[in-house]
Each structure stands twice: as structure tokens, then as C-alpha cells.
């Protein structure tokens, strides 16, 4: 296989699936040239609980992506989510002695903002500047070249538990990656909330004035919907997942009760016929719970009335029929389903909302090419992944 160092790979290590997207940078966008997916084994709510199973799932997904792209992977940008994620806003302040602001001043004021006590079992994965203030003038995006005496930086800091973060690549908070693929610049400027409904978690990111304002992670997702359906329909979990994806609806009242489905039973019992409306009646309460918890989070943090662009829902669970309509009722705001946009290549293969994070990771990486921390060559991908994961778990720094 040809080795092309410029390739970017987005690796979405999710609770229910692993997805690898291989892309070539193309100016401000990317050309998708390969994709690989595999059911996720070894993660629970975004946290690795079985190293070997996780490594094997990653290997199979990346093998498929490499084969489709016909080349070796040279850099990996991995997504991170889970209940262990914490985020908060901080402020840094420095004196610049009545002269023009220099790039070194930005570095100093951001370092000052992140000079906070971080527990030993956590590490900082993002420090994102929101805006700057110079001598009382706020809302400044690019202060370099402006003159003043006191420079203030407002930043958004994201931390993760080192016993949970999958440190196999440049680490990117998943809702930030999904935002790269699904949100329009004017939405970020006016104010918008992204809700990424994944398998094990629901991730939230709020944008305003073109920058990130708030992030949060809820430990509920599509897995819980599938479990509710499996229990309610008395069918194996794998069958409940298949039925949910094909026939599920987030709002049962929109469906006719006479539409029937054949549902496999457990223990070798004969299949049964149930209505599609019955299936959705098992799903709707959980969807309402998740969306209501997000609404409470936005209201608690003061962001609910600062998102006039409304809500964008993405992630695999957002593909449920009727979910945007139900979300509009709960948030009383406009809601749309977000899918990867502004990309080329194998667009038809990554059009669904379940690919937003992986595509967003590739987009994120293409804008930061040349700075990967983890490189893969000559078939050694998974030996290195395994080594890095063992280092992370057991602290064996090499």
C-alpha cells in the first residue's frame, strides 16, 4: 500500500460502534476516501472496561478503512466522551505595560487562565479561547496589534480522567468534533446548541459569538433506548437494536397502531407480532428524559435563552423518526437534524448523523495537520495502540 503522510484519520471510539474515516485535506474541506466501522466491544458509557476487546474493535474498523482507502494511516485524531468529562470557564489576566499585544502575550494570558488546580487523576484535553478583553473593551477575538495595559482572556477548559481517556492520538472532545461537521458559521455566531446523541452518552456543546460557551456530557444514550425496547418487547438486545434502528420513532403519537412488526422472542419461543406504536411507546419516555435533562442543563447554566439559532441534533440516536419534532416541543425552539456537510469524496457513505463525529474529527485534524502526537506505519498500528493503552492504565511511561 502507498504511504501518504498527508492523510488524516478521524477515529470515533464510541460505546456502540468504532468508526474510522480516512480523508485527504482539500483546502478548507476534506475528501473522504475510506471508511471503516465495527461494533464497539470493551467500552461502557465512554469508558474502556476491556482493553483487549477495545483494541480488537479499533483494529477491525481501521483495517476496513485502510483497505477501502488503499493506503496506510499516518495520523489519528481520536474522539473522547463519557461521564468522566468535565468542563468549565476560566479567566486569565496579565499586564502588558501600555504597548501592542503580541502573540507571546496571548500565550501568557492563556497559560495564566489554565493555572488552576487539576487533580492528579485528571488531565486537560482542551483549552479553548472564547474572547479577550483589553482595558475594559470586551468581545475581542484577535487582540494582536491592539494597544493597552491589561489583557484578559476568557477560556473554556475541558478535562478528562486519565484512567478513562483513550490516549492513542490527538484527543478531541466529541461534541466539538461533531460541531465541525454539522454546524454552520452563522449558527455559531448567533447562538446554537449541538446535542450529539450517541450510544452511551449524550454530549452537549453551546456556541455563541463564534466560540464555544459551554460543554456537558450526560451518561444516557441510544444504548438505554435499546435496553428499554429489549425489556419491553422481551426480545434479545441485538434484535432490539436492529428493530429500533429500522422501525423506531421518538414520538409514538405520530404512528398508526395498526402497523405491525415481527419480533423475535427469547429462549427459543416463537416470534410475535407487535405494533410499531407499541415499540415507540417504549422509546419515547427515554427520549423525553434525555432531551429534558439537556434542557435542564441549558437552563441551569443560563444558555437556554442565548441560542436563537435553536438546536441541532446529531449522532446515531438522532436518526430516530420524529426526534426533531419531539425536541421542538421540549425546547420550544427550532430543531434540525445535523449531518456531515461541506465535504467531498465518498459523501454517500457518510451522510448519516451517526458519522458526524468521525467526519468532524477528520475535519478538525485537517485544520491542525502536522501536529499529530501518534503516528502509525508498517502494520504496527495496534501494537502501538495496545502499548499506549497499557501505559495509560498502568502508568508505565516508556
Amino acid at each position: 500500500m502507498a504511504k501518504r503522510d498527508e492523510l488524516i484519520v478521524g477515529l470515533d471510539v464510541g460505546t456502540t460502534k468504532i468508526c474510522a474515516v480516512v480523508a485527504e485535506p482539500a483546502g478548507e474541506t476534506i475528501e473522504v476516501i475510506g471508511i471503516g466501522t465495527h461494533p464497539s466491544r470493551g467500552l461502557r458509557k465512554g469508558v474502556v472496561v476491556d482493553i483487549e476487546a477495545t483494541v480488537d474493535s479499533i483494529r477491525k474498523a481501521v483495517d476496513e478503512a485502510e483497505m477501502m482507502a488503499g493506503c496506510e494511516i499516518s495520523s489519528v485524531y481520536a474522539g473522547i466522551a463519557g461521564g468522566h468529562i468535565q468542563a468549565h470557564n476560566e479567566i486569565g489576566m496579565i499586564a502588558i505595560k501600555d504597548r501592542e499585544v503580541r502573540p507571546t502575550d496571548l500565550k501568557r494570558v492563556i497559560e495564566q487562565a489554565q493555572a488552576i488546580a487539576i487533580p492528579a487523576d485528571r488531565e486537560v484535553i482542551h483549552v479553548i479561547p472564547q474572547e479577550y478583553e483589553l482595558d475594559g473593551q470586551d468581545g475581542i477575538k484577535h487582540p494582536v496589534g491592539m494597544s493597552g495595559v491589561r489583557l484578559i482572556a476568557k477560556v473554556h477548559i475541558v478535562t478528562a480522567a486519565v484512567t478513562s481517556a483513550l490516549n492513542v492520538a490527538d484527543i478531541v472532545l466529541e461534541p466539538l468534533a461533531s460541531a465541525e461537521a454539522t454546524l454552520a458559521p452563522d449558527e455559531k455566531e448567533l447562538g446554537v446548541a449541538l446535542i450529539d446523541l450517541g450510544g452511551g452518552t449524550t454530549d452537549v456543546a453551546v456556541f455563541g459569538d463564534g466560540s464555544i460557551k459551554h460543554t456537558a456530557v450526560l451518561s444516557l444514550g441510544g444504548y438505554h433506548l435499546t435496553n428499554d425496547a429489549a425489556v419491553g418487547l422481551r426480545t434479545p438486545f441485538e434484535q432490539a437494536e436492529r428493530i429500533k434502528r429500522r422501525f423506531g420513532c421518538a414520538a409514538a403519537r405520530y404512528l398508526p397502531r395498526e402497523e405491525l412488526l415481527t419480533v423475535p422472542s427469547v429462549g427459543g419461543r416463537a416470534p410475535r407480532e407487535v405494533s410499531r406504536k407499541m415499540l415507540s411507546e417504549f422509546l419515547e419516555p427515554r427520549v423525553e428524559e434525555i432531551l429534558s435533562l439537556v434542557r435542564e442543563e441549558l437552563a441551569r447554566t443560563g444558555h437556554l435563552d442565548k441560542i436563537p439559532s435553536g438546536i441541532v441534533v446529531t449522532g446515531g440516536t438522532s436518526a430516530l423518526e420524529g426526534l426533531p419534532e419531539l425536541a421542538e416541543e421540549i425546547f420550544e425552539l427550532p430543531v434540525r437534524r445535523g449531518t456531515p456537510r461541506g465535504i467531498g469524496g465518498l459523501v454517500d457513505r457518510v451522510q448519516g448523523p451517526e458519522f458526524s463525529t468521525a467526519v468532524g474529527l477528520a475535519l478538525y485534524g485537517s485544520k491542525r495537520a502536522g501536529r499529530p502526537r501518534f503516528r502509525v506505519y508498517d502494520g504496527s498500528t495496534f501494537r502501538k495502540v495496545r502499548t499506549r493503552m497499557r501505559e495509560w492504565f498502568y502508568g508505565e511511561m516508556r
Side-chain angles (χ1 to χ4, degrees), residues 156-219:
H156 188 69
I157 298 177
V158 182
T159 66
V162 295
T163 52
S164 300
L166 184 61
N167 193 24
V168 300
D170 284 3
I171 302 298
V172 184
L173 186 64
E174 290 193 352
L176 298 183
S178 298
E180 290 275 357
T182 61
L183 297 184
D186 57 355
E187 288 178 316
K188 291 183 180 180
E189 190 65 35
L190 187 59
V192 67
L194 176 77
I195 304 175
D196 190 342
L197 295 138
T201 62
T202 295
D203 308 325
V204 183
V206 180
F207 292 84
D209 299 322
S211 63
I212 188 73
K213 297 299 182 183
H214 178 69
T215 54
V217 178
L218 306 178
S219 296

Side-chain angles (χ1 to χ4, degrees), residues 14-315:
T15 300
T16 57
K17 80 172 190 319
I18 308 290
C19 180
V21 169
V22 184
E24 288 182 307
E28 293 297 313
T29 184
I30 57 173
E31 295 283 327
V32 177
I33 63 172
I35 180 172
T37 61
H38 192 270
S40 183
R41 301 286 185 266
L43 284 96
R44 182 174 300 145
K45 297 182 180 180
V47 177
V48 175
V49 295
D50 186 328
I51 294 177
E52 302 302 325
T54 301
V55 171
D56 185 61
S57 295
I58 293 173
R59 176 180 59 79
K60 290 175 179 175
V62 177
D63 275 352
E64 182 181 337
E66 285 183 325
M67 184 175 297
M68 182 179 294
C71 58
E72 295 177 356
I73 290 175
S74 61
S75 63
V76 179
Y77 288 80
I80 185 172
H84 58 93
I85 298 293
Q86 295 179 4
H88 54 279
N89 296 327
E90 293 290 340
I91 295 177
M93 180 175 63
I94 62 169
I96 53 176
K97 301 179 180 178
D98 199 18
R99 58 169 172 77
E100 289 187 354
V101 177
R102 303 166 183 168
T104 53
D105 295 321
L106 299 190
K107 182 178 179 181
R108 282 198 302 129
V109 74
I110 291 173
E111 287 176 348
Q112 203 277 333
Q114 68 179 96
I116 57 176
I118 301 293
D121 63 341
R122 304 190 68 79
E123 65 178 64
V124 175
I125 60 173
H126 287 294
V127 179
I128 307 171
Q130 297 172 314
E131 65 176 35
Y132 298 91
E133 179 180 318
L134 186 63
D135 293 349
Q137 180 182 347
D138 59 7
I140 301 172
K141 296 299 182 183
H142 305 289
V144 173
M146 300 176 68
S147 296
V149 175
R150 186 182 67 171
L151 178 66
I152 293 176
K154 298 179 181 179
V155 302
H156 188 69
I157 298 177
V158 182
T159 66
V162 295
T163 52
S164 300
L166 184 61
N167 193 24
V168 300
D170 284 3
I171 302 298
V172 184
L173 186 64
E174 290 193 352
L176 298 183
S178 298
E180 290 275 357
T182 61
L183 297 184
D186 57 355
E187 288 178 316
K188 291 183 180 180
E189 190 65 35
L190 187 59
V192 67
L194 176 77
I195 304 175
D196 190 342
L197 295 138
T201 62
T202 295
D203 308 325
V204 183
V206 180
F207 292 84
D209 299 322
S211 63
I212 188 73
K213 297 299 182 183
H214 178 69
T215 54
V217 178
L218 306 178
S219 296
L220 287 171
Y223 170 90
H224 301 85
L225 273 73
T226 303
N227 189 67
D228 292 344
V231 172
L233 298 177
R234 301 191 299 279
T235 191
F237 186 90
E238 292 76 12
Q239 295 297 332
E241 176 69 17
R242 178 187 63 81
I243 293 168
K244 180 194 75 174
R245 287 177 176 271
R246 185 172 179 184
F247 301 107
C249 180
R253 57 188 173 277
Y254 297 151
L255 296 173
R257 184 170 295 276
E258 55 271 11
E259 189 174 356
L260 298 178
L261 313 173
T262 300
V263 177
S265 297
V266 295
R269 297 177 179 85
R272 305 172 344 271
E273 282 196 336
V274 302
S275 69
R276 187 181 176 197
K277 191 164 186 176
M278 177 183 290
L279 165 65
S280 296
E281 284 170 348
F282 293 127
L283 302 178
E284 183 173 356
R286 185 70 74 174
V287 177
E288 285 186 333
E289 177 190 13
I290 294 172
L291 295 177
S292 296
L293 287 172
V294 174
R295 191 184 194 284
E296 290 174 11
E297 171 70 13
L298 296 178
R300 180 185 66 81
T301 55
H303 293 290
L304 188 60
D305 59 353
K306 298 178 181 177
I307 48 174
S309 291
I311 307 287
V312 175
V313 292
T314 192

Side-chain angles (χ1 to χ4, degrees), residues 21 30 32 178 180-183 314-315 336-343 347 349-360 363:
V21 169
I30 57 173
V32 177
S178 298
E180 290 275 357
T182 61
L183 297 184
T314 192
R336 71 172 179 87
R337 185 179 286 115
T339 57
R341 53 197 291 169
I343 59 174
V347 178
R349 298 293 298 271
V350 293
Q351 283 183 330
E354 66 271 24
F355 295 107
S356 294
T357 297
V359 172
L363 282 165

